[in-house]
Amino acid sequence: MPVEIKDQSVFEQTYHLYLGQLKTRMSGLSEEKLGISIRDNSITLPLLNKPYHITENGVFDDSGNTPLFYFCVILFKYLLIERGDYPKGKEWCSYRDLKDSKPLIGYFKTSVEDALIKSFSGNVKLLEKSCLELGGESIKEEYSYDTAVKLNLLPRIPVLLLLNDVDEEFPASCSVLFEQRAENYLDAECLAMLGVVLVEMLTASNDPGIGRSGTGA
């Protein structure tokens, strides 16, 4: 999970390992299957509505900065995982229902769903506004929640964010749901990290530097 990289050589080795693997598989990537754009040996891949560019020289945002280490891992893994034909299974499910998620269920609840409650309970309008700024779509008319938003974390990995605010009878509750097919695009650890990225980006108004650049997390 996101941790500070104290030994930069570990980051460099892992980063260049993934970069080398990507170079050998670049020609086999499907723009349509992954929702990416490939031009002049440069891949453009949006993460929560922000484009990142992956070239033979590395991963960069529009400003030319290298994102945080775990951002890079998520982007590399999304491009490198072997998934066969177009994955099926668009029904919504909780994180606990995804393949190999069991060791991280508690982490996901605490670091994603409980963190969203802590940040936005009492201010669900701010949560919806922040979601829309990240390209989200309000779908409250389909769900009986104070906030119901669909967001694309990655092109083929949408999430459904549902939050009911605290009231006189019940505490606040939050669910972040994935499509079942998400487990074919990323492993459980990366999907948990994606949830953390979502929390960080939604609360970034208090810290504009989040996710901008660097090698630690």
Side-chain angles (χ1 to χ4, degrees), residues 118-157:
K118 182 178 180 180
S119 295
F120 295 104
S121 181
N123 202 346
V124 294
K125 288 185 177 179
L126 175 60
L127 173 59
E128 183 167 325
K129 176 177 180 291
S130 299
C131 288
L132 297 181
E133 288 174 350
L134 293 177
E137 173 190 3
S138 177
I139 49 176
K140 284 193 292 186
E141 67 278 1
E142 299 180 33
Y143 297 89
S144 300
Y145 283 81
D146 295 325
T147 297
V149 181
K150 180 181 177 181
L151 304 101
N152 285 323
L153 302 187
L154 287 164
R156 301 293 181 256
I157 305 183

Short mmCIF file of all heavy atoms in Angstrom, two decimals, residues 118-157:
data_model
loop_
_atom_site.label_atom_id
_atom_site.label_comp_id
_atom_site.label_asym_id
_atom_site.label_seq_id
_atom_site.Cartn_x
_atom_site.Cartn_y
_atom_site.Cartn_z
N LYS A 118 -15.07 10.45 6.99
CA LYS A 118 -14.38 11.41 7.85
C LYS A 118 -14.21 12.75 7.16
O LYS A 118 -14.35 13.82 7.78
CB LYS A 118 -13.01 10.84 8.25
CG LYS A 118 -12.22 11.75 9.20
CD LYS A 118 -10.91 11.10 9.59
CE LYS A 118 -10.11 12.00 10.52
NZ LYS A 118 -8.81 11.36 10.91
N SER A 119 -13.91 12.74 5.86
CA SER A 119 -13.64 13.97 5.13
C SER A 119 -14.90 14.72 4.73
O SER A 119 -14.88 15.95 4.65
CB SER A 119 -12.81 13.66 3.87
OG SER A 119 -11.54 13.16 4.20
N PHE A 120 -16.01 13.99 4.48
CA PHE A 120 -17.16 14.65 3.87
C PHE A 120 -18.47 14.52 4.65
O PHE A 120 -19.47 15.08 4.21
CB PHE A 120 -17.36 14.11 2.45
CG PHE A 120 -16.23 14.47 1.52
CD1 PHE A 120 -15.27 13.53 1.17
CD2 PHE A 120 -16.11 15.76 1.03
CE1 PHE A 120 -14.23 13.86 0.32
CE2 PHE A 120 -15.07 16.10 0.18
CZ PHE A 120 -14.12 15.15 -0.18
N SER A 121 -18.48 13.80 5.76
CA SER A 121 -19.70 13.75 6.55
C SER A 121 -20.05 15.15 7.02
O SER A 121 -19.21 15.87 7.56
CB SER A 121 -19.53 12.82 7.75
OG SER A 121 -20.72 12.77 8.50
N GLY A 122 -21.28 15.56 6.79
CA GLY A 122 -21.70 16.92 7.11
C GLY A 122 -21.52 17.88 5.96
O GLY A 122 -21.93 19.05 6.05
N ASN A 123 -20.92 17.42 4.86
CA ASN A 123 -20.70 18.29 3.71
C ASN A 123 -20.77 17.47 2.43
O ASN A 123 -19.83 17.43 1.63
CB ASN A 123 -19.36 19.00 3.82
CG ASN A 123 -19.31 20.26 2.97
OD1 ASN A 123 -20.17 20.47 2.12
ND2 ASN A 123 -18.31 21.09 3.20
N VAL A 124 -21.90 16.80 2.23
CA VAL A 124 -22.03 15.93 1.05
C VAL A 124 -22.07 16.73 -0.24
O VAL A 124 -21.72 16.22 -1.31
CB VAL A 124 -23.28 15.02 1.16
CG1 VAL A 124 -23.10 14.03 2.30
CG2 VAL A 124 -24.55 15.84 1.34
N LYS A 125 -22.49 17.99 -0.16
CA LYS A 125 -22.49 18.82 -1.37
C LYS A 125 -21.07 19.06 -1.86
O LYS A 125 -20.82 19.08 -3.07
CB LYS A 125 -23.17 20.16 -1.09
CG LYS A 125 -24.69 20.05 -0.93
CD LYS A 125 -25.33 21.42 -0.78
CE LYS A 125 -26.84 21.30 -0.68
NZ LYS A 125 -27.51 22.62 -0.50
N LEU A 126 -20.13 19.21 -0.93
CA LEU A 126 -18.73 19.36 -1.32
C LEU A 126 -18.22 18.08 -1.94
O LEU A 126 -17.46 18.12 -2.93
CB LEU A 126 -17.87 19.73 -0.10
CG LEU A 126 -16.35 19.81 -0.35
CD1 LEU A 126 -16.04 20.87 -1.40
CD2 LEU A 126 -15.60 20.11 0.95
N LEU A 127 -18.63 16.93 -1.41
CA LEU A 127 -18.21 15.65 -1.98
C LEU A 127 -18.69 15.53 -3.42
O LEU A 127 -17.92 15.17 -4.31
CB LEU A 127 -18.76 14.49 -1.15
CG LEU A 127 -18.54 13.09 -1.74
CD1 LEU A 127 -17.06 12.80 -1.93
CD2 LEU A 127 -19.18 12.03 -0.84
N GLU A 128 -19.96 15.83 -3.65
CA GLU A 128 -20.49 15.74 -5.02
C GLU A 128 -19.78 16.72 -5.94
O GLU A 128 -19.43 16.38 -7.07
CB GLU A 128 -21.99 16.00 -5.02
CG GLU A 128 -22.60 15.83 -6.41
CD GLU A 128 -24.12 15.77 -6.37
OE1 GLU A 128 -24.67 15.23 -5.41
OE2 GLU A 128 -24.73 16.28 -7.33
N LYS A 129 -19.54 17.93 -5.46
CA LYS A 129 -18.83 18.93 -6.27
C LYS A 129 -17.43 18.44 -6.62
O LYS A 129 -16.99 18.56 -7.78
CB LYS A 129 -18.75 20.25 -5.50
CG LYS A 129 -17.95 21.35 -6.20
CD LYS A 129 -17.99 22.63 -5.37
CE LYS A 129 -17.19 23.75 -6.05
NZ LYS A 129 -15.73 23.48 -6.02
N SER A 130 -16.73 17.86 -5.65
CA SER A 130 -15.38 17.35 -5.89
C SER A 130 -15.40 16.20 -6.89
O SER A 130 -14.52 16.09 -7.74
CB SER A 130 -14.75 16.90 -4.57
OG SER A 130 -14.64 17.97 -3.65
N CYS A 131 -16.42 15.34 -6.79
CA CYS A 131 -16.55 14.23 -7.74
C CYS A 131 -16.77 14.74 -9.15
O CYS A 131 -16.16 14.23 -10.12
CB CYS A 131 -17.70 13.32 -7.33
SG CYS A 131 -17.40 12.31 -5.86
N LEU A 132 -17.64 15.72 -9.30
CA LEU A 132 -17.94 16.26 -10.62
C LEU A 132 -16.70 16.93 -11.23
O LEU A 132 -16.49 16.86 -12.44
CB LEU A 132 -19.10 17.25 -10.54
CG LEU A 132 -20.44 16.68 -10.08
CD1 LEU A 132 -21.52 17.76 -10.06
CD2 LEU A 132 -20.88 15.53 -10.97
N GLU A 133 -15.89 17.55 -10.39
CA GLU A 133 -14.66 18.18 -10.88
C GLU A 133 -13.67 17.15 -11.41
O GLU A 133 -12.80 17.48 -12.23
CB GLU A 133 -14.01 19.01 -9.77
CG GLU A 133 -14.78 20.28 -9.45
CD GLU A 133 -14.22 21.03 -8.26
OE1 GLU A 133 -13.33 20.46 -7.56
OE2 GLU A 133 -14.65 22.17 -8.02
N LEU A 134 -13.80 15.91 -10.95
CA LEU A 134 -12.94 14.82 -11.44
C LEU A 134 -13.59 14.06 -12.59
O LEU A 134 -13.14 12.97 -12.94
CB LEU A 134 -12.61 13.86 -10.30
CG LEU A 134 -11.73 14.42 -9.17
CD1 LEU A 134 -11.56 13.37 -8.08
CD2 LEU A 134 -10.38 14.86 -9.69
N GLY A 135 -14.64 14.64 -13.16
CA GLY A 135 -15.30 14.01 -14.30
C GLY A 135 -16.40 13.06 -13.92
O GLY A 135 -16.89 12.31 -14.76
N GLY A 136 -16.81 13.05 -12.65
CA GLY A 136 -17.86 12.15 -12.19
C GLY A 136 -19.24 12.56 -12.70
O GLY A 136 -19.44 13.70 -13.14
N GLU A 137 -20.17 11.64 -12.58
CA GLU A 137 -21.55 11.86 -13.02
C GLU A 137 -22.49 11.56 -11.85
O GLU A 137 -22.49 10.45 -11.32
CB GLU A 137 -21.87 10.94 -14.20
CG GLU A 137 -23.32 10.97 -14.63
CD GLU A 137 -23.65 9.88 -15.63
OE1 GLU A 137 -22.75 9.05 -15.96
OE2 GLU A 137 -24.81 9.83 -16.08
N SER A 138 -23.28 12.54 -11.46
CA SER A 138 -24.26 12.33 -10.39
C SER A 138 -25.39 11.45 -10.89
O SER A 138 -25.96 11.70 -11.95
CB SER A 138 -24.81 13.67 -9.90
OG SER A 138 -25.80 13.46 -8.91
N ILE A 139 -25.70 10.39 -10.14
CA ILE A 139 -26.79 9.49 -10.52
C ILE A 139 -27.71 9.25 -9.30
O ILE A 139 -28.19 8.15 -9.07
CB ILE A 139 -26.26 8.15 -11.08
CG1 ILE A 139 -25.18 7.56 -10.16
CG2 ILE A 139 -25.71 8.33 -12.48
CD1 ILE A 139 -24.70 6.19 -10.62
N LYS A 140 -27.96 10.33 -8.57
CA LYS A 140 -28.78 10.22 -7.36
C LYS A 140 -30.20 9.75 -7.66
O LYS A 140 -30.85 9.15 -6.81
CB LYS A 140 -28.81 11.57 -6.62
CG LYS A 140 -27.55 11.89 -5.85
CD LYS A 140 -27.74 13.05 -4.90
CE LYS A 140 -27.96 14.35 -5.64
NZ LYS A 140 -27.99 15.50 -4.71
N GLU A 141 -30.67 10.05 -8.87
CA GLU A 141 -32.03 9.64 -9.20
C GLU A 141 -32.16 8.12 -9.28
O GLU A 141 -33.27 7.57 -9.21
CB GLU A 141 -32.47 10.26 -10.54
CG GLU A 141 -31.73 9.77 -11.76
CD GLU A 141 -30.39 10.45 -11.98
OE1 GLU A 141 -30.01 11.31 -11.15
OE2 GLU A 141 -29.73 10.12 -12.98
N GLU A 142 -31.03 7.41 -9.39
CA GLU A 142 -31.07 5.95 -9.49
C GLU A 142 -30.87 5.27 -8.15
O GLU A 142 -31.12 4.07 -8.02
CB GLU A 142 -29.99 5.47 -10.46
CG GLU A 142 -30.15 6.00 -11.90
CD GLU A 142 -29.06 5.51 -12.81
OE1 GLU A 142 -28.58 4.37 -12.60
OE2 GLU A 142 -28.66 6.25 -13.72
N TYR A 143 -30.40 6.01 -7.14
CA TYR A 143 -30.06 5.40 -5.85
C TYR A 143 -30.58 6.28 -4.71
O TYR A 143 -30.55 7.50 -4.79
CB TYR A 143 -28.54 5.23 -5.71
CG TYR A 143 -27.95 4.29 -6.73
CD1 TYR A 143 -27.51 4.77 -7.97
CD2 TYR A 143 -27.83 2.93 -6.47
CE1 TYR A 143 -26.98 3.90 -8.92
CE2 TYR A 143 -27.30 2.06 -7.42
CZ TYR A 143 -26.87 2.56 -8.64
OH TYR A 143 -26.34 1.70 -9.57
N SER A 144 -31.02 5.64 -3.64
CA SER A 144 -31.55 6.37 -2.48
C SER A 144 -30.42 6.70 -1.51
O SER A 144 -30.37 6.19 -0.37
CB SER A 144 -32.64 5.54 -1.79
OG SER A 144 -33.71 5.28 -2.67
N TYR A 145 -29.49 7.53 -1.98
CA TYR A 145 -28.37 7.98 -1.15
C TYR A 145 -28.26 9.49 -1.25
O TYR A 145 -28.68 10.10 -2.25
CB TYR A 145 -27.06 7.35 -1.63
CG TYR A 145 -26.88 5.90 -1.20
CD1 TYR A 145 -27.49 4.88 -1.92
CD2 TYR A 145 -26.11 5.58 -0.10
CE1 TYR A 145 -27.32 3.55 -1.54
CE2 TYR A 145 -25.94 4.26 0.29
CZ TYR A 145 -26.56 3.25 -0.43
OH TYR A 145 -26.40 1.94 -0.05
N ASP A 146 -27.66 10.10 -0.22
CA ASP A 146 -27.45 11.55 -0.26
C ASP A 146 -26.48 11.92 -1.37
O ASP A 146 -26.61 12.98 -2.00
CB ASP A 146 -26.91 12.05 1.09
CG ASP A 146 -27.92 11.86 2.21
OD1 ASP A 146 -29.13 12.00 1.93
OD2 ASP A 146 -27.50 11.56 3.34
N THR A 147 -25.49 11.06 -1.61
CA THR A 147 -24.56 11.24 -2.73
C THR A 147 -24.44 9.93 -3.47
O THR A 147 -24.18 8.89 -2.86
CB THR A 147 -23.16 11.68 -2.23
OG1 THR A 147 -23.27 12.96 -1.60
CG2 THR A 147 -22.19 11.79 -3.41
N ALA A 148 -24.63 9.97 -4.76
CA ALA A 148 -24.45 8.79 -5.62
C ALA A 148 -23.79 9.27 -6.90
O ALA A 148 -24.41 9.99 -7.68
CB ALA A 148 -25.77 8.10 -5.91
N VAL A 149 -22.52 8.89 -7.08
CA VAL A 149 -21.74 9.39 -8.20
C VAL A 149 -20.97 8.24 -8.85
O VAL A 149 -20.43 7.37 -8.16
CB VAL A 149 -20.73 10.48 -7.75
CG1 VAL A 149 -19.94 11.01 -8.95
CG2 VAL A 149 -21.44 11.63 -7.06
N LYS A 150 -20.94 8.25 -10.16
CA LYS A 150 -20.12 7.31 -10.91
C LYS A 150 -18.90 8.04 -11.43
O LYS A 150 -19.01 9.10 -12.02
CB LYS A 150 -20.93 6.72 -12.08
CG LYS A 150 -20.15 5.72 -12.93
CD LYS A 150 -21.02 5.20 -14.07
CE LYS A 150 -20.25 4.26 -14.98
NZ LYS A 150 -21.08 3.77 -16.12
N LEU A 151 -17.72 7.48 -11.18
CA LEU A 151 -16.46 8.07 -11.65
C LEU A 151 -15.63 7.02 -12.37
O LEU A 151 -15.66 5.84 -12.00
CB LEU A 151 -15.62 8.61 -10.48
CG LEU A 151 -16.22 9.63 -9.53
CD1 LEU A 151 -16.66 8.94 -8.25
CD2 LEU A 151 -15.21 10.73 -9.22
N ASN A 152 -14.86 7.45 -13.33
CA ASN A 152 -13.90 6.58 -14.00
C ASN A 152 -12.53 6.77 -13.35
O ASN A 152 -11.90 7.81 -13.51
CB ASN A 152 -13.81 6.89 -15.49
CG ASN A 152 -15.01 6.39 -16.25
OD1 ASN A 152 -15.54 5.31 -15.95
ND2 ASN A 152 -15.47 7.16 -17.21
N LEU A 153 -12.10 5.76 -12.58
CA LEU A 153 -10.76 5.83 -12.01
C LEU A 153 -9.73 5.67 -13.12
O LEU A 153 -8.78 6.43 -13.23
CB LEU A 153 -10.58 4.74 -10.95
CG LEU A 153 -11.55 4.76 -9.78
CD1 LEU A 153 -11.15 3.74 -8.73
CD2 LEU A 153 -11.64 6.15 -9.16
N LEU A 154 -9.93 4.64 -13.93
CA LEU A 154 -9.18 4.41 -15.16
C LEU A 154 -10.21 4.15 -16.25
O LEU A 154 -11.38 3.89 -15.95
CB LEU A 154 -8.22 3.23 -15.00
CG LEU A 154 -6.99 3.49 -14.11
CD1 LEU A 154 -6.33 2.19 -13.69
CD2 LEU A 154 -5.98 4.38 -14.83
N PRO A 155 -9.83 4.21 -17.53
CA PRO A 155 -10.84 4.12 -18.60
C PRO A 155 -11.79 2.95 -18.50
O PRO A 155 -12.97 3.07 -18.83
CB PRO A 155 -9.98 4.05 -19.86
CG PRO A 155 -8.74 4.79 -19.50
CD PRO A 155 -8.49 4.46 -18.07
N ARG A 156 -11.32 1.79 -18.06
CA ARG A 156 -12.19 0.61 -17.96
C ARG A 156 -12.47 0.21 -16.53
O ARG A 156 -12.92 -0.90 -16.25
CB ARG A 156 -11.56 -0.56 -18.74
CG ARG A 156 -11.34 -0.28 -20.23
CD ARG A 156 -12.67 -0.12 -20.95
NE ARG A 156 -12.48 0.13 -22.37
CZ ARG A 156 -12.61 1.32 -22.96
NH1 ARG A 156 -12.93 2.38 -22.23
NH2 ARG A 156 -12.43 1.47 -24.26
N ILE A 157 -12.21 1.12 -15.59
CA ILE A 157 -12.46 0.82 -14.18
C ILE A 157 -13.26 1.97 -13.56
O ILE A 157 -12.71 2.85 -12.89
CB ILE A 157 -11.15 0.58 -13.39
CG1 ILE A 157 -10.32 -0.52 -14.05
CG2 ILE A 157 -11.47 0.20 -11.94
CD1 ILE A 157 -9.06 -0.87 -13.30
#
